[in-house]
């Protein structure tokens, strides 16, 4: 359905996106992962035709949209990272405004507004000003505006940032429903790995403006298939212990979330003996040790050297 | 589509009480305050003064006059010449003129309260007076000697002002400086062979016959400030519209609007038209309130609407221009500079605070064609009863400004596909 070919965008002193290639098939949900500054939002702006690329192409059903952005705009709904709504208008007025500028006919508009309000669960608050809404309700309406003109493809740029778990679950369920029931293709970016794991069929991982890994969840996890993750919980984390762990020959990656340490090591390597020995030497009390198959978070850490939320 | 953009703008302004206070409440309060506080300056009225003047009379004016008449009578000149000179002495007693023609004049009788004293008051008592005037002994005699016999110096009055009463002191100082100059002039006239009374009467008759040059309706202070403040505050609509537009960009609403295939120029036309409408409504509310509460009424309503509409279009041009700069520079600095720095300058140069005709010269000329000055001048003339053709140069100046602003906006507007 959509194909991104060698897409690049250079600003004055910065190469924000460097030769990105990706594709979306009709009806699938694709995750775009990356830490802050990875180039996700710029990539979304390029795909949605708001920004001209320095080079490369975006092709919709085999037609370039660079020169004719109207094509993609008709079938595209974008949920921006910010709450792109008028705070001094009611939920209904916001939907009516965006519906009208999408040229939805007056006779259809009211029905579509009611439908969207029902999907996002704000029917009973439709007459309230948006500025009186909670963060979660604003996020839901932000999604609702992108659904009004019944898009085939929806791009969501971190739609759950800064909201409570209940609203987050509601949004995730809504996205899942839109994808399964209405067959809407979704490109979803997030800081939350569990969201991407839950929603997405395939994942692209971006860092420093480049796609550094791509594939299904299983394919991505397979990057670390020969490795295992060891999570150590200690009473008090000592710098000396950490340094000694880092120096171990089989440790490929180490991350710290005080008082826990996560190591990525080859499955074959038996380093448990060393862990305890070093703990004894540095007088570190180990509370627990968990050995797990690597998660997407571990893969991300392995690839970028950073936590997703860094 | 443009209708939706406009409707949204109107709702946004309507639902922001802070903006409404700036656009409607503040100018109306200022019209009332400035009209009342500076009304006397505009209307040419004397401010209410309460001048208390202590006069220490050491001179015996009647004795001085009598002495001079006797001296004149003893001179070896013809009886006719004596009669004229004695008549001159009688009619030109400076102290009598001071009390009867100055202190008791229509102009000053209500504002100057004269208390005659024999001795200098104590320091404490002196504080109760705006000034203390001492008429030295022999003042009248000295005046006549200098005037008719060319003897002695021109006599001088001694005035001490109370420094704490600045305005009253200043008025007293002006009165006595002027009076002293008059004494010097009058005392020189007889020696030049001119009859002082004739000259004085001639001057008075000329002043009395001064006519108002224009026969148009005079504009009072409240009306002037209604015009001045309305013209000043209409520019805040432009600043406000540009700020709202930038909020749309910062919150990615602008991107969302573009994604709905709304062309960039249409978005800016929305800003332009909505600003015109908001300004037009603002002007009519402000002038309507001014008419109801202050009695500011327009002699020709159609002319008023034509001028108002022309100015509103210019404000729309400003809104688009500032928005274009904001969008291009990705910052709100243009709005901030416009609202905090440029509007006060436009208002001052245009004459929103003081009538520029009182400054005159080059400044007045610049003001006439500045965005605010042209507006004030056009309104002012319409208010005076002039016709639209009389304000065509002002309307042309406003229209040229509008066209320039729109052309510049087209040049600097954001292009499709530029970074948002």
């Amino acid at each position: 359905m959509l194909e991104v070919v060698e897409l690049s965008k250079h600003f004055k002193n910065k190469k924000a996106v460097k030769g990105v290639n990706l594709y979306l098939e009709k009806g699938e949900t694709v995750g775009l992962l990356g830490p802050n500054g990875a180039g996700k939002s710029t990539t979304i702006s390029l795909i949605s035709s708001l920004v001209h690329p320095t080079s490369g192409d975006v092709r919709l059903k085999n037609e370039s949209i660079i020169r004719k952005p109207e094509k993609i705009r008709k079938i595209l709904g974008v949920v921006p990272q910010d709450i792109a709504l008028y705070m001094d208008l009611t939920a209904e007025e916001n939907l009516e405004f965006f519906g009208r500028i999408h040229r939805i006919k007056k006779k259809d508009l009211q029905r579509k507004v009611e439908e969207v309000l029902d999907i996002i669960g704000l029917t009973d608050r439709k007459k309230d000003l948006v500025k009186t809404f909670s963060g979660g309700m604003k996020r839901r309406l932000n999604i609702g505006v992108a659904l009004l003109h019944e898009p085939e493809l929806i791009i969501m740029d971190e739609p759950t940032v800064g909201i409570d778990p209940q609203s987050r679950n509601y949004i995730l369920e809504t996205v899942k429903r839109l994808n399964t029931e209405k067959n809407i293709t979704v490109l979803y970016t997030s800081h939350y790995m569990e969201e991407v794991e839950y929603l997405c069929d395939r994942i692209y991982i971006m860092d420093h403006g480049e796609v550094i890994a791509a594939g299904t969840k299983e394919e991505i996890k397979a990057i670390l298939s020969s490795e295992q993750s060891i999570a150590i919980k200690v009473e008090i984390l000592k710098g000396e212990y950490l340094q000694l762990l880092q120096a171990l020959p089989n440790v490929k990656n180490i991350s710290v979330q005080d008082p826990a340490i996560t190591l990525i090591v080859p499955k074959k390597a038996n380093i448990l003996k060393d862990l305890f020995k070093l703990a004894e030497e540095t007088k570190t009390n180990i509370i627990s040790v968990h050995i797990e198959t690597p998660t997407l978070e571990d893969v991300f850490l392995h690839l970028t050297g950073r936590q997703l939320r860094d | 589509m443009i209708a939706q953009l406009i409707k949204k703008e109107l709702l946004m302004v309507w639902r922001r009480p802070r903006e409404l206070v700036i656009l409607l409440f503040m100018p109306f309060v200022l019209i009332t305050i400035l009209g009342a506080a500076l009304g006397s300056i505009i209307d040419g009225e004397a401010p209410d003064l309460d001048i208390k003047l202590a006069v220490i009379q050491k001179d015996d004016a009647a004795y001085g006059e009598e002495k001079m008449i006797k001296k004149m009578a003893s001179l070896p000149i013809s009886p006719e010449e004596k009669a004229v000179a004695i008549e001159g002495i009688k009619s030109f007693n400076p102290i009598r003129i001071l009390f009867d023609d100055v202190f008791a004049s229509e102009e000053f009788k209500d504002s100057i309260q004269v208390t005659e004293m024999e001795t200098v008051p104590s320091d404490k008592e002196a504080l109760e007076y705006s000034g203390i005037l001492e008429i030295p002994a022999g003042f009248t005699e000295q005046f006549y000697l200098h005037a008719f016999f060319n003897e002695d110096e021109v006599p001088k009055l001694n005035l001490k002002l109370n420094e704490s009463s600045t305005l009253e002191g200043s008025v007293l100082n002006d009165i006595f400086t002027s009076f002293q100059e008059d004494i010097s002039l009058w005392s020189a006239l007889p020696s030049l062979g001119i009859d002082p009374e004739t000259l004085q009467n001639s001057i008075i008759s000329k002043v009395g016959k001064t006519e108002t040059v224009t026969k148009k309706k005079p504009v009072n202070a409240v009306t002037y400030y209604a015009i001045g403040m309305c013209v000043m505050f209409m520019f805040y609509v432009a600043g406000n519209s540009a700020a709202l537009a930038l909020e749309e960009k910062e919150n990615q609403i602008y991107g969302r609007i573009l994604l709905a295939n709304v062309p960039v120029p249409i978005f800016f036309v929305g800003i332009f038209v909505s600003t015109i409408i908001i300004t037009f409504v603002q002007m009519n509310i402000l002038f309507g309130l001014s008419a109801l509460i202050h009695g500011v009424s327009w002699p020709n309503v159609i002319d008023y609407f034509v001028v108002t509409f022309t100015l509103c279009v210019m404000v729309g041009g400003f809104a688009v221009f500032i928005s274009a700069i904001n969008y291009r520079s990705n910052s709100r600095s243009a709005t901030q500079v416009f609202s905090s720095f440029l509007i006060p300058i436009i208002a001052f140069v245009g004459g929103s605070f003081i009538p520029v005709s009182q400054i005159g010269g080059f400044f007045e000329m610049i003001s006439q064609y500045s965005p605010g000055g042209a507006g004030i001048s056009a309104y002012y003339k319409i208010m005076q009863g002039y016709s639209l053709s009389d304000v065509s140069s002002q309307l042309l100046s406003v229209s040229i400004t509008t066209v320039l602003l729109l052309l510049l906006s087209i040049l600097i507007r954001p292009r499709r596909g530029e970074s948002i």
Side-chain angles (χ1 to χ4, degrees):
Chain A
M1 182 187 189
L2 187 87
E3 196 182 0
V4 173
V5 186
E6 288 297 322
L7 199 64
S8 297
K9 180 67 186 177
H10 302 168
F11 295 109
K12 275 179 190 168
N13 305 315
K14 195 188 167 195
K15 292 180 177 178
V17 176
K18 295 180 264 187
V20 165
N21 291 290
L22 60 85
Y23 69 92
L24 280 93
E25 295 289 2
K26 173 81 183 155
E28 68 174 348
T29 302
V30 174
L32 188 59
L33 281 175
N36 282 333
K40 303 188 300 288
S41 292
T42 309
T43 304
I44 286 175
S45 293
L46 291 164
I47 294 173
S48 57
S49 79
L50 282 174
V51 177
H52 273 312
T54 308
S55 62
D57 200 1
V58 179
R59 304 178 72 80
L60 177 73
K61 296 171 186 169
N62 281 328
E63 267 191 89
S64 173
I65 57 130
I66 304 296
R67 297 226 171 266
K68 287 184 179 173
E70 297 79 15
K71 287 205 165 180
I72 191 164
R73 288 176 184 182
K74 273 184 191 165
I75 63 145
L76 176 68
V78 174
V79 181
Q81 203 176 92
D82 291 329
I83 307 288
L85 300 168
Y86 293 106
M87 297 294 151
D88 294 299
L89 303 190
T90 65
E92 192 178 38
E93 284 166 347
N94 265 285
L95 290 170
E96 281 172 357
F97 169 74
F98 285 106
R100 291 294 289 153
I101 63 164
H102 270 285
R103 296 170 185 82
I104 297 173
K105 287 179 184 162
K106 221 172 180 178
K107 59 175 183 174
D108 299 329
L109 185 62
Q110 206 48 47
R111 178 181 53 79
K112 289 196 177 178
V113 166
E114 292 300 332
E115 269 177 30
V116 167
L117 282 168
D118 185 48
I119 291 170
I120 58 176
L122 289 175
T123 305
D124 55 338
R125 298 293 304 269
K126 66 179 181 182
K127 298 284 182 196
D128 294 343
L129 297 180
V130 176
K131 66 182 171 192
T132 65
F133 284 7
S134 68
M137 288 160 78
K138 286 175 187 167
R139 287 272 166 205
R140 274 144 65 187
L141 185 60
N142 206 29
I143 294 171
V145 168
L147 300 175
L148 263 175
H149 61 295
E150 297 174 350
E152 290 176 42
L153 166 64
I154 188 160
I155 298 178
M156 297 180 153
D157 193 0
E158 301 187 19
T160 59
V161 167
I163 57 172
D164 58 284
Q166 203 183 345
S167 295
R168 198 170 145 205
N169 284 340
Y170 191 98
I171 288 174
L172 293 180
E173 287 310 318
T174 307
V175 176
K176 193 98 181 162
R177 223 168 51 238
L178 289 169
N179 176 243
T180 52
E181 292 174 11
K182 300 198 176 229
N183 201 30
I184 296 176
T185 310
V186 181
L187 178 60
Y188 191 94
T189 82
S190 178
H191 270 149
Y192 300 104
M193 191 65 76
E194 60 274 21
E195 288 183 4
V196 175
E197 281 205 74
Y198 175 70
L199 289 173
C200 302
D201 307 308
R202 288 189 303 112
I203 296 161
Y204 289 89
I205 298 178
M206 279 189 81
D207 196 24
H208 300 297
E210 291 174 293
V211 171
I212 54 170
T216 61
K217 279 177 274 190
E218 291 68 32
E219 283 168 344
I220 299 263
K221 282 180 187 171
I223 294 171
L224 291 180
S225 59
S226 57
E227 269 113 32
Q228 62 187 2
S229 160
I230 301 177
I232 311 161
K233 210 172 209 176
V234 294
E235 203 171 69
I236 299 165
L237 181 60
K238 291 179 179 170
E240 190 190 356
Y241 182 56
L242 204 60
Q243 280 175 0
L244 289 169
L245 287 177
Q246 274 170 331
L248 288 172
N250 284 318
V251 173
K252 290 194 167 183
N253 219 319
I254 187 163
S255 68
V256 181
Q257 283 171 302
D258 201 6
I261 307 161
T262 306
L263 309 175
I264 304 290
V265 296
K267 273 182 180 166
K268 288 174 186 169
N270 184 4
I271 68 159
L272 287 177
K273 208 171 148 188
D274 293 332
L275 298 184
F276 287 108
K277 191 181 161 197
L278 293 174
E280 200 179 331
E281 279 175 23
T282 56
K283 293 185 178 149
T284 301
N285 287 337
I286 294 177
I287 297 169
S288 64
V289 175
H290 286 278
I291 303 170
E292 294 166 345
T293 305
T295 62
L296 276 177
E297 189 89 43
D298 295 326
V299 177
F300 189 85
L301 180 70
H302 171 72
L303 292 170
T304 66
R306 287 189 278 172
Q307 294 280 349
L308 191 55
R309 265 155 263 172
D310 278 353
Chain B
M1 192 189 300
I2 289 179
Q4 294 305 313
L5 292 166
I6 293 164
K7 182 184 166 190
K8 167 263 300 177
E9 289 278 330
L10 298 180
L11 281 171
M12 300 264 285
V13 172
W14 177 243
R15 287 178 186 162
R16 293 186 175 202
R18 193 179 149 268
E19 262 87 47
L20 288 177
V21 166
I22 292 172
L23 300 180
L24 294 174
F25 183 70
M26 268 179 65
F28 192 72
V29 168
L30 283 170
I31 289 165
T32 310
I33 293 172
L34 289 173
L38 303 177
S40 56
I41 295 171
I42 306 276
D43 297 343
E45 292 167 358
D48 289 340
L49 290 171
D50 183 19
I51 301 171
K52 287 180 180 166
L53 179 69
V55 178
I56 302 158
Q57 180 64 283
K58 291 184 177 173
D59 179 46
D60 188 340
Y63 170 74
E65 187 182 315
E66 198 180 325
K67 196 175 170 186
M68 278 306 107
I69 291 170
K70 279 181 185 170
K71 189 170 178 173
M72 190 62 76
S74 65
L75 286 178
I77 52 175
S78 68
E80 291 79 19
E81 283 175 319
K82 271 183 194 173
V84 170
I86 288 167
E87 194 52 40
I89 288 168
K90 281 180 182 172
S91 64
F92 239 85
N93 186 319
I95 299 304
R96 203 165 51 231
I97 290 173
L98 180 65
F99 277 82
D100 296 348
D101 296 348
V102 178
F103 294 154
S105 68
E106 279 298 313
E107 193 179 355
F108 294 119
K109 69 177 181 187
D110 293 331
S111 40
I112 301 180
Q113 188 188 327
V114 177
T115 308
E116 289 194 56
M117 297 179 162
E118 289 185 357
T119 54
V120 177
S122 66
D123 289 350
K124 196 179 166 189
E125 283 173 333
L127 289 173
E128 293 172 17
Y129 295 96
S130 313
I132 299 168
L133 175 72
E134 187 186 327
I135 304 172
F139 180 90
T140 308
E141 188 180 348
Q142 195 181 340
F143 170 77
Y144 287 132
L145 284 172
H146 183 77
F148 291 94
F149 302 98
N150 213 14
E151 296 172 13
D152 218 331
E153 299 274 301
V154 178
K156 282 186 180 166
L157 297 166
N158 296 321
L159 177 69
K160 282 184 186 169
L161 298 173
N162 182 346
E163 288 176 0
S164 63
S165 57
T166 328
L167 179 61
E168 286 83 357
S170 163
V171 172
L172 274 180
N173 193 43
D174 287 348
I175 291 171
F176 284 103
T177 304
S178 170
F179 184 69
Q180 190 71 48
E181 285 168 1
D182 288 348
I183 289 173
S184 302
L185 177 66
W186 298 331
S187 65
L189 295 177
S191 60
L192 296 169
I194 302 167
D195 176 13
E197 197 176 5
T198 312
L199 182 71
Q200 190 191 20
N201 289 339
S202 161
I203 292 167
I204 289 167
S205 66
K206 277 183 189 168
V207 172
K209 281 179 187 170
T210 302
E211 289 178 356
T212 309
V213 174
T214 172
K215 288 193 168 64
K216 294 290 177 185
K217 179 185 160 190
V219 172
N220 65 19
V222 174
T223 305
Y224 184 84
Y225 282 113
I227 292 170
M229 289 301 110
C230 283
V231 170
M232 175 178 168
F233 277 84
M234 63 165 43
F235 288 102
Y236 281 105
V237 180
N240 189 51
S241 296
L244 283 178
L246 190 68
E247 266 181 45
E248 289 176 308
K249 188 178 187 195
E250 287 171 342
N251 298 336
Q252 300 190 15
I253 295 173
Y254 173 65
R256 216 163 212 178
I257 290 172
L258 294 188
L259 284 173
N261 274 327
V262 175
V264 176
I266 294 291
F267 177 75
F268 280 89
V269 168
I271 296 172
F272 181 60
V273 178
S274 57
T275 306
I276 292 172
I277 294 171
I278 294 167
T279 315
F280 195 73
V281 172
Q282 178 204 28
M283 287 297 99
N284 289 319
I285 290 175
L286 286 175
F287 280 123
L289 282 174
S290 300
L292 282 174
I293 296 168
H294 298 305
V296 176
S297 61
W298 295 91
N300 186 326
V301 178
I302 293 170
D303 290 356
Y304 155 76
F305 278 124
V306 172
V307 172
T308 302
F309 183 73
T310 312
L311 289 174
C312 292
V313 175
M314 176 180 68
V315 175
F318 269 105
V320 173
F321 177 62
I322 301 159
S323 299
I325 299 176
N326 280 340
Y327 270 56
R328 201 68 199 264
S329 63
N330 248 333
S331 85
R332 54 180 62 233
S333 38
T335 305
Q336 284 164 346
V337 168
F338 182 72
S339 295
S340 340
F341 187 66
L342 278 178
I343 293 180
I345 289 178
I346 288 172
F348 179 73
V349 173
S352 285
F353 302 112
I354 47 162
V356 282
S357 56
Q358 291 187 359
I359 299 169
F362 182 65
F363 188 78
E364 188 181 1
M365 196 191 78
I366 289 189
S367 171
Q368 285 277 314
Y369 298 100
S370 69
I376 289 175
S377 183
Y379 270 141
Y380 194 86
K381 284 187 171 179
I382 294 294
M383 183 57 89
Q384 284 184 306
Y386 284 95
S387 67
L388 276 180
S389 60
D390 294 317
V391 296
S392 57
S393 61
Q394 280 83 12
L395 295 184
L396 182 68
S397 165
V398 168
S399 304
I400 289 171
T401 307
T402 308
V403 172
L404 283 176
L405 287 168
L406 293 176
L407 286 175
L408 285 170
S409 306
I410 291 167
L411 285 177
I412 57 177
R413 78 188 193 283
R415 265 70 168 174
R416 199 165 88 160
E418 264 186 1
S419 172
I420 57 152

